[in-house]
Amino acid sequence: MERFSVIVSGFDRYEGVDVNPSREVPEALESQGLRFGSKDETNPTTELDADLDAAVGFDCAIDIHSVLLPVSFTKAWPTLKAGIDRYRPDIVIATGLKHAARGIALERCATNLMDAARPDADNVEPRKIPIVEDGPAAYWTRLPLRSILEDFSTHGIPATLSSDAGTYVCNSLFYHLLNWTSHQAKVLSGFVSFPLVNEHGDNLYGLPLEQQIAAGRDVVKETLRYYREPAARDVVIV
C-alpha cells in the first residue's frame, strides 16, 4: 500500500475570534484521519471514507499532520518549514481565516508583497516591502482548484475562487510556501481560506464547523487524486 504524508497548517489565535476554523479544521483532519480501501477495527472505515475511496479509486494510507503557526510575519514560515523538514510531506495545504467570507475561498495567487494594515502577533507592521527580495512578483497555487470546486458543489459546500490572499501574514506564508515548492521535484501546495464559524445556517458570513471540516477533507482528497493522476482539466487559475 502506498503511503502519503500531508501537512495541513493553520494559524493560532486571531484577535476577537472565539472558534478559529484555521486551527480547528487541521486538528480535526489529523485526529480523524482519512482512510482509503482497508478497514481497521480500531478505526473503522466510515461511509465518508468509502465515498473517498470510490472517488480516489486506489488503495493508500495517508498521514495527516496538523501544524499550528503564529500569526507572525517572521515566525509563520519558519514554523511551517520545521514541520516540513520533520514530516517530509507530499502535499502541503496551508489555511487561514477570512472574516468577511461567506464560504470557502480557494486562493489562486501569492504575491511578493507585505503591506499590513494592522500589526501582527509580534507587533510588526511591514508596509509595502517584498517578502523575498528579488523574488518573482507572484506564484500560482499548485492545488487542483477545478476538481476541488466540483467536489464542493457535489457536497453542497459554498466556495469561491479568490484572486489572492491579501497582503497580510496569510499571503506572506503562502508566498514562502510556493517559493519553496518551486524548488521541489514533486510536492503540491496551496492555500485555503476558511470563513468564520457560523452554526446558525443563515445567510450571514461563515459556515458550520463540520461543513468546513468536510471541505478540508475534500481538498485533501482531490489534491491526493491529482498528485497520483495529474490532469490539466483539474487546474483552473482564471
Side-chain angles (χ1 to χ4, degrees):
M1 178 187 293
E2 289 185 273
R3 191 165 210 99
F4 295 91
S5 176
V6 177
I7 285 178
V8 184
S9 74
F11 283 102
D12 203 348
R13 182 180 179 274
Y14 287 92
E15 185 176 354
V17 176
D18 294 330
V19 182
N20 174 14
S22 177
R23 177 170 188 160
E24 299 293 333
V25 173
E27 290 181 351
L29 294 179
E30 180 181 63
S31 64
Q32 297 172 12
L34 295 175
R35 296 183 59 80
F36 299 93
S38 61
K39 292 188 177 182
D40 181 341
E41 294 303 322
T42 63
N43 188 10
T45 301
T46 65
E47 291 182 8
L48 175 62
D49 296 323
D51 175 62
L52 290 168
D53 183 38
V56 175
F58 62 89
D59 187 30
C60 74
I62 177 170
D63 299 313
I64 298 181
H65 309 284
S66 172
V67 178
L68 186 64
L69 312 175
V71 185
S72 164
F73 282 102
T74 59
K75 297 174 184 174
W77 169 241
T79 304
L80 179 55
K81 183 58 166 59
I84 289 171
D85 292 341
R86 177 180 179 183
Y87 298 119
R88 302 177 62 85
D90 304 292
I91 295 167
V92 183
I93 299 166
T95 75
L97 176 67
K98 276 194 171 178
H99 290 73
R102 296 183 182 275
I104 310 299
L106 301 177
E107 305 295 350
R108 292 181 288 186
C109 180
T111 58
N112 191 11
L113 177 66
M114 292 183 287
D115 190 14
R118 63 189 185 281
D120 68 2
D122 299 322
N123 202 33
V124 173
E125 192 175 352
R127 298 306 304 270
K128 300 185 184 302
I129 60 175
I131 298 166
V132 176
E133 195 71 36
D134 298 323
Y139 285 108
W140 294 107
T141 183
R142 298 291 186 90
L143 300 184
L145 301 189
R146 187 188 303 277
S147 59
I148 292 170
L149 282 174
E150 290 176 354
D151 225 39
F152 283 175
S153 178
T154 299
H155 296 140
I157 299 172
T160 186
L161 292 176
S162 174
S163 296
D164 59 66
T167 55
Y168 196 56
V169 177
C170 286
N171 176 72
S172 179
L173 176 73
F174 189 16
Y175 187 91
H176 279 299
L177 174 59
L178 291 181
N179 185 56
W180 172 82
T181 305
S182 69
H183 301 290
Q184 309 307 306
K186 191 177 182 183
V187 176
L188 297 181
S189 67
F191 198 100
V192 176
S193 294
F194 292 114
L196 292 168
V197 173
N198 178 359
E199 300 293 353
H200 301 296
D202 52 30
N203 292 323
L204 298 176
Y205 296 125
L207 295 173
L209 180 58
E210 285 303 317
Q211 194 170 32
Q212 300 198 46
I213 294 171
R217 290 193 184 102
D218 281 352
V219 173
V220 173
K221 181 197 73 174
E222 288 303 319
T223 306
L224 179 59
R225 185 182 61 78
Y226 178 71
Y227 186 96
R228 283 293 309 276
E229 299 176 359
R233 70 166 302 280
D234 293 326
V235 179
V236 56
I237 298 299
V238 296

